[in-house]
Structure formats: structure tokens, C-alpha cells
Amino acid sequence: MTFGAHEVMETSEMLREKMNFINHLAMYEQEAQSEQLRSMIRRHMESAVAAYDQMVAYTHDYSARLGTQPAFPQPDVNIDRIKYGLRNPQPMAPQRTGRLNDTMIQDALLCGHKASAMSHLQRGLEAADPNLRQMFLNGAITCFNQAYEVFLQMNQQGSYQVPSMDGHTAKTYLHAFQPMQQQQYQPMQQQYQQVQQQQQFQPAQYQQHQGTYYNQ
């Protein structure tokens, strides 16, 4: 069994992050007061444990090489239910004592999932093993979608409000980007086809590597 130096170090750090996050999830489940929040934490815990166990098994003996833990699906949400705009947001400040309330737990979950999504992608880019790369990618998608689930719950409760921009201003700003015109695209497409045709008739001293020819 062979692993590159970079992927060994990045996988080790990722497993440590996963283990730490699982420990935090267990604590949050005990502290949470809302059954809706506890239920969500349990779902996230199950997927976190499964992903951790799979990565551990793969690094031990390739036992997980036949399939990877599927990514957590994106929550099914009606876009019209997302609440935009500020509605008297409550002031916030950190505290050093006392129990964690549900809003604190939701904030911690949201920040944890966001950080983990970025960490999975950054560390996965250093992996050479294709199965390991897929585990990192699935982990990033899972955290991406779980962060969104936390946001949706907080948004419905009013604890995560989304500042809005005037519709005319938003459209003016974004509509500055226009689609590429067909007449601009066609010369590029023709040029690409010509290059492809020329490559089919390259002399034998050229070798093909990943679709590109290099002179020996």
C-alpha cells in the first residue's frame, strides 16, 4: 500500500479534524434543547462517523476501495421560503460562562461545517490516490450541504437574517456581465477543430500525453 507524503500528512490532519468535530457534535446533542436541532445533529453525526470510519479503513488496508460514502444531499427547500432582509436582529456577544443555548450551538455547527468544507477541498487537492480524493470531495459536499441545512433552520427562526440589496441595484450590478455572443464563439471553436485535425497527423517523434503532444 503506497501513499504520497503530502496525502499522508493531509489525511492525518483531516482525520484529526473529523474526530474533533464528532466529539463536538456529541456535546452539542447533549446541550441542545430543541428536538428539531437534536435530530439534525444526530443526522450530521451519523454521516460524520461513517465518513471517518471509511477513511480510517481505507488508510489501514484499502478495505473501502470498492465504494465511497455518498455525499449528504442538499436539503429540499422552496426558494420562496428563504427570508431575506433584516427584521430587528438581536445583539450578540461572546460569553465565557454558562450553558450553550440553541442559537450558540447552531452558530457553532454552521461555522464548523463551513470550515470543514473548505478544509476538505484544500487537503483533497494534495491527494494522489483517486479513492482518497473522492472521499475528500464527498466530505466537502457533505459539509457544504449540512451548513446549508443549519442556515435554513436558523433563517426560519430569525437567528440568521440575510441583508438584502435593492432589486434594481442588484440587477444593474450583475447584468453588466453578458453572455458570449455566438459569432465570437464560432472562430474559437473552428480554431480548436483545426488544432485537433493537425494533431492527428503529427510525426512519430511526438508522443501523446493526456491529450497534448510533446516533442521528445
Side-chain angles (χ1 to χ4, degrees), residues 5-7 38 67 73 84 91 101 111 127 141 151 172 183 185 197:
H6 275 99
E7 61 190 350
R38 285 198 298 269
Y84 290 93
N101 60 41
C111 292
I141 297 172
F151 158 74
T172 301
Q183 58 267 26
Y185 171 70
Q197 291 173 357

Side-chain angles (χ1 to χ4, degrees), residues 14 17-18 25 36 42 64 75 78 82-83 129 142-143 153 155 164 171 183 188 199:
M14 177 51 61
E17 290 178 16
K18 286 179 178 290
L25 287 171
Q36 181 186 19
R42 283 193 289 269
N78 185 341
I82 300 175
K83 298 178 180 179
D129 185 286
T142 290
C143 294
Q153 187 179 104
N155 180 252
S164 58
K171 289 181 180 179
Q183 58 267 26
M188 295 177 61
Q199 288 179 347

Side-chain angles (χ1 to χ4, degrees), residues 155-169:
N155 180 252
Q156 291 300 307
Q157 296 171 355
S159 56
Y160 197 119
Q161 301 183 19
V162 182
S164 58
M165 181 181 290
D166 176 78
H168 176 73
T169 302

Side-chain angles (χ1 to χ4, degrees), residues 100-115:
L100 295 174
N101 60 41
D102 284 358
T103 300
M104 294 176 181
I105 293 172
Q106 289 170 325
D107 268 328
L109 280 174
L110 185 61
C111 292
H113 284 315
K114 286 180 177 180

Side-chain angles (χ1 to χ4, degrees), residues 180-190:
M180 190 173 184
Q181 300 300 319
Q182 186 66 22
Q183 58 267 26
Q184 295 175 323
Y185 171 70
Q186 286 178 346
M188 295 177 61
Q189 187 179 37
Q190 293 171 358

Side-chain angles (χ1 to χ4, degrees), residues 6 10 12 31 58 61 65 72 89 137-138 141 148 152 154 168 177 186 191 209:
H6 275 99
E10 298 296 349
S12 173
E31 293 281 329
Y58 189 70
D61 58 10
R65 66 185 180 276
F72 191 89
L137 179 59
N138 287 350
I141 297 172
Y148 189 51
L152 291 173
M154 298 179 72
H168 176 73
F177 300 94
Q186 286 178 346
Q191 183 180 11
H209 178 67

Side-chain angles (χ1 to χ4, degrees), residues 24 28 30 40 54 62 70 106 110 128 132 139 149 158 172 183 186 202-204 208:
H24 277 74
Y28 297 152
Q30 295 297 319
M40 181 175 65
Q54 183 184 51
Y62 283 164
Q106 289 170 325
L110 185 61
L132 202 55
E149 184 178 20
T172 301
Q183 58 267 26
Q186 286 178 346
Q202 292 289 348
Q208 188 175 13

